[in-house]
Amino acid sequence: MAQLQQPIELKFHNTLTRAKEAFQPLDAANVRMYVCGPTVYDYAHIGNARPVIVFDVLYRLLRHVYGASHVTYVRNITDVDDKINARALTDYPQLDPLAAIAALTKKTADQFHADIAALGVLQPNVEPRATEHIAEMRELCEALVAKGHAYVADGHVLFDVPSMQDYGRLSGRSLEEMEAGARVEVAPYKKDPMDFVLWKPSKTGEPGWPSPCGIDGAGRPGWHIECSAMAGKHLGQVFDIHGGGIDLVFPHHENEVAQSRCAHGTPRMAQVWMHNGFLQVEGEKMSKSLGNFITINELLATDKFGHQPWHGRVVRLAMLGTHYRQPIDWTVDRLVQARAALGDFADIVHG
């Protein structure tokens, strides 16, 4: 293998340490990055586009520095959760639950791929689906129970949060702060209010798989265990970069860290944690109730947001006009300015 050259030093802000650090990959011949991808039950909204674009830029930078063949980028697809189950039951009532979620998520994932392709992003090296990694999730559950970090109660497998001494390190909050600020599910079978679900029993009409840890009946994974299983399988127990939106730091990424570290006995899950900032629309939080909920597809194909259609390059440049860690206000003016800038670039290039 040819000697790798690194002409520049990369520095990234690490959410875990709250500091900008020089990046030193575990293996420069295989720089590994995992980014939380979409939950595919409907069209992806413009907020979903931000991490896709931000981490596409990082992927391209890593490929430039280390070589395209020396970077492995994994971005998952969540294809089983409560919203998917409910939508699949409505859209495909004639199919059994597993076939229904497969039909729904194929349709919505295909649309997601078409939309982000218009934004000029590269495909990741691996795009794992949660439903293809049920065996790995069961193995994680069993390992955590065996090591005293999880327990079985009322058909559930739950992570025992107090069993991990430095739980909360990623988000920088104590257990008391997290419990006070979180919408904790109250359940009589929990040992501690902060304990979270790794596996739960499937209800009638829901998809299910054989349960781990000697539990009778079919069940399905909790949300957090999915990414731990997929990242571990495709990137190893410890890898270089884990990315996603700032809204995922707690509880999702905090719980990923807990599951992965405790199951594998490692001091960390990822060397560097990177998060993009929030997105709002015309100064307000995006929501369907406010009428400012915008999908990527609507920006590219309809006149939902002012001046349509917007080219994917315009959307991409508008998204990159703000530092990735800062909040971004998504406005018509931002799109207009990005389109004008692209016109100026074209004039310069073509003279």
Side-chain angles (χ1 to χ4, degrees):
M1 182 180 293
Q3 180 70 32
L4 294 174
Q5 300 296 320
Q6 187 176 348
I8 61 174
E9 180 184 61
L10 300 179
K11 290 186 176 181
F12 301 136
H13 183 274
N14 189 349
T15 304
L16 182 64
T17 61
R18 280 86 174 148
K20 185 179 287 187
E21 303 170 343
F23 178 61
Q24 295 292 334
L26 295 166
D27 178 5
N30 184 20
V31 182
R32 291 163 288 161
M33 177 171 71
Y34 184 92
V35 175
C36 290
T39 299
V40 285
Y41 69 96
D42 206 341
Y43 286 100
H45 58 71
I46 193 62
N48 300 137
R50 193 173 194 194
V52 169
I53 293 172
V54 162
F55 290 103
D56 177 68
V57 172
L58 178 56
Y59 179 39
R60 290 171 183 270
L61 175 61
L62 294 172
R63 286 162 56 98
H64 174 73
V65 173
Y66 295 97
S69 63
H70 299 291
V71 180
T72 303
Y73 174 24
V74 178
R75 187 188 65 222
N76 77 291
I77 285 180
T78 294
D79 58 352
V80 57
D81 85 335
D82 291 341
K83 291 180 179 178
I84 290 172
N85 297 343
R87 181 69 177 269
L89 183 63
T90 299
D91 290 3
Y92 301 96
Q94 74 280 13
L95 300 179
D96 70 72
L98 285 177
I101 65 169
L104 172 65
T105 56
K106 181 185 186 309
K107 175 183 175 182
T108 49
D110 287 348
Q111 185 61 60
F112 171 75
H113 290 140
D115 288 343
I116 65 170
L119 304 179
V121 303
L122 299 174
Q123 282 292 308
N125 300 101
V126 186
E127 191 176 51
R129 286 173 169 261
T131 55
E132 297 169 350
H133 296 75
I134 299 296
E136 289 80 9
M137 296 177 208
R138 288 197 299 250
E139 289 172 6
L140 281 175
C141 289
E142 290 171 351
L144 287 165
V145 169
K147 294 182 178 184
H149 290 291
Y151 58 94
V152 176
D154 198 23
H156 295 71
V157 183
L158 297 113
F159 186 86
D160 186 353
V161 168
S163 74
M164 184 180 185
Q165 290 187 346
D166 59 348
Y167 181 87
R169 182 182 170 199
L170 180 64
S171 58
R173 292 183 286 180
S174 67
L175 277 176
E176 291 77 15
E177 290 173 319
M178 286 184 284
E179 185 173 346
R183 288 178 291 182
V184 177
E185 180 187 358
V186 177
Y189 47 80
K190 285 186 176 184
K191 292 181 179 180
D192 186 276
M194 287 299 296
D195 293 350
F196 58 89
V197 172
L198 304 174
W199 188 270
K200 54 188 170 183
S202 294
K203 300 175 184 176
T204 302
E206 291 181 341
W209 295 264
S211 296
C213 306
I215 299 172
D216 290 333
R220 57 192 179 97
W223 174 32
H224 313 301
I225 197 75
E226 296 178 0
C227 285
S228 286
M230 289 183 278
K233 178 174 182 178
H234 297 286
L235 296 177
Q237 294 180 0
V238 182
F239 51 92
D240 295 297
I241 299 170
H242 195 313
I246 192 69
D247 57 309
L248 298 180
V249 174
F250 182 81
H252 185 51
H253 288 168
E254 193 75 73
N255 291 348
E256 273 191 65
V257 172
Q259 296 160 163
S260 296
R261 284 183 51 200
C262 290
H264 303 311
T266 53
R268 58 194 176 279
M269 178 185 184
Q271 297 274 84
V272 180
W273 287 82
M274 300 179 68
H275 295 92
N276 62 269
F278 287 110
L279 179 143
Q280 59 182 14
V281 177
E282 300 285 358
E284 295 184 296
K285 182 178 180 180
M286 184 171 62
S287 72
K288 292 182 178 178
S289 62
L290 292 175
N292 65 355
F293 188 89
I294 304 160
T295 69
I296 302 170
N297 190 260
E298 286 170 334
L299 279 178
L300 300 172
T302 75
D303 62 1
K304 171 80 178 279
F305 199 51
H307 307 70
Q308 291 291 345
W310 297 99
H311 194 283
R313 286 194 294 269
V314 173
V315 177
R316 183 183 179 93
L317 183 59
M319 192 70 76
L320 293 174
T322 298
H323 188 281
Y324 80 95
R325 290 181 55 228
Q326 298 302 312
I328 186 171
D329 190 17
W330 194 256
T331 66
V332 172
D333 285 346
R334 177 180 290 276
L335 288 164
V336 171
Q337 291 168 15
R339 184 165 60 188
L342 282 173
D344 292 342
F345 297 158
D347 290 342
I348 293 170
V349 171
H350 299 295

